[in-house]
């Protein structure tokens, strides 16, 4: 007897789970790499798929992901079709998202808690969601300081 078709909603959820798993694998890989290795991968350009994993993992709208990573979703799809890597600016931002996510994981020790904290507005960050502050190093430093305070018993 054939299996019943998967509902579109379940198919979307399965796809999100796959994207999220790829994102967390990237986070783990980046955390184990030396800075020189990370820098080389940034200069060579990361895979456009990573852009999409961030969008799906944090369920960002197209305008949010464009603001965060400085690239439109359509441009990413075009790069994927052409087999081209992302430029160094977008790659550096993806690396920054990964490093901040790794630190957040050290604090919360749960992927769903990390996603929730990174995606929610935070008064200690002027009402911004931490994920949206990974666009520049200065903004990401604010997030890292807050995470280190939480790790040491502070509140946020």
């Amino acid at each position: 007897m054939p299996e019943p078709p998967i509902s579109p909603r379940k198919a979307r959820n399965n796809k999100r789970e796959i994207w999220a798993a790829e994102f967390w694998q990237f986070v783990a890989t980046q955390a184990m790499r030396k800075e020189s290795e990370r820098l080389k991968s940034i200069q060579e350009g990361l895979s456009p798929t990573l852009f999409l994993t961030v969008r799906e993992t944090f369920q960002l709208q197209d305008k949010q992901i464009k603001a965060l990573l400085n690239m439109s979703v359509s441009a990413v799809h075009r790069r994927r079709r052409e087999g081209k890597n992302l430029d160094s600016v977008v790659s550096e931002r993806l690396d920054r998202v990964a490093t901040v996510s790794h630190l957040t994981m050290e604090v919360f020790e749960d992927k769903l808690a990390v996603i929730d904290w990174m995606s929610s507005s935070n008064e200690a960050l002027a009402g911004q969601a931490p994920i949206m502050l990974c666009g520049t190093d200065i903004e990401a430093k604010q997030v890292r300081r807050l995470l280190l305070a939480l790790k040491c018993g502070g509140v946020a």
Side-chain angles (χ1 to χ4, degrees):
M1 176 181 273
E3 292 185 30
I6 297 176
S7 72
R9 183 179 198 168
K10 187 170 183 173
R12 274 193 310 275
N13 287 340
N14 288 344
K15 189 173 182 180
R16 275 199 182 113
E17 288 174 16
I18 292 168
W19 287 113
E22 288 183 28
F23 171 73
W24 291 112
Q25 180 61 46
F26 172 66
V27 169
T29 300
Q30 290 300 89
M32 293 186 304
R33 297 175 88 189
K34 297 176 189 173
E35 274 190 2
S36 60
E37 295 169 329
R38 289 177 38 226
L39 182 58
K40 184 178 180 189
S41 68
I42 289 168
Q43 291 169 339
E44 291 173 353
L46 296 171
S47 167
T49 302
L50 291 170
F51 180 106
L52 301 171
T53 67
V54 169
R55 183 180 76 167
E56 290 301 321
T57 300
F58 295 98
Q59 296 190 4
L60 298 172
Q61 297 173 357
D62 287 354
K63 67 180 183 176
Q64 291 173 302
I65 195 78
K66 183 176 181 182
L68 172 63
L69 299 177
N70 197 34
M71 186 175 214
S72 70
V73 175
S74 61
V76 169
H77 286 299
R78 186 172 48 256
R79 283 196 175 262
R80 281 183 79 197
R81 280 191 311 272
E82 295 170 354
K84 293 182 180 177
N85 286 338
L86 299 169
D87 66 34
S88 60
V89 173
V90 178
S91 296
E92 181 181 18
R93 289 176 181 211
L94 284 167
D95 177 78
R96 195 175 299 121
V97 169
T99 58
V100 170
S101 295
H102 183 263
L103 180 57
T104 308
M105 183 62 123
E106 289 179 0
V107 173
F108 292 101
E109 301 177 351
D110 177 80
K111 291 174 184 171
L112 293 177
V114 170
I115 292 166
D116 184 53
W117 189 83
M118 292 277 293
S119 302
S120 301
S121 65
N122 191 304
E123 287 184 35
L125 298 169
Q128 293 286 321
I131 186 71
M132 296 307 296
L133 295 177
C134 291
T136 68
D137 193 49
I138 292 172
E139 292 171 321
K141 282 181 184 177
Q142 294 174 326
V143 177
R144 287 190 289 267
R145 275 195 297 269
L146 178 57
L147 286 165
L148 292 173
L150 287 168
K151 194 174 182 177
C152 294
V155 289

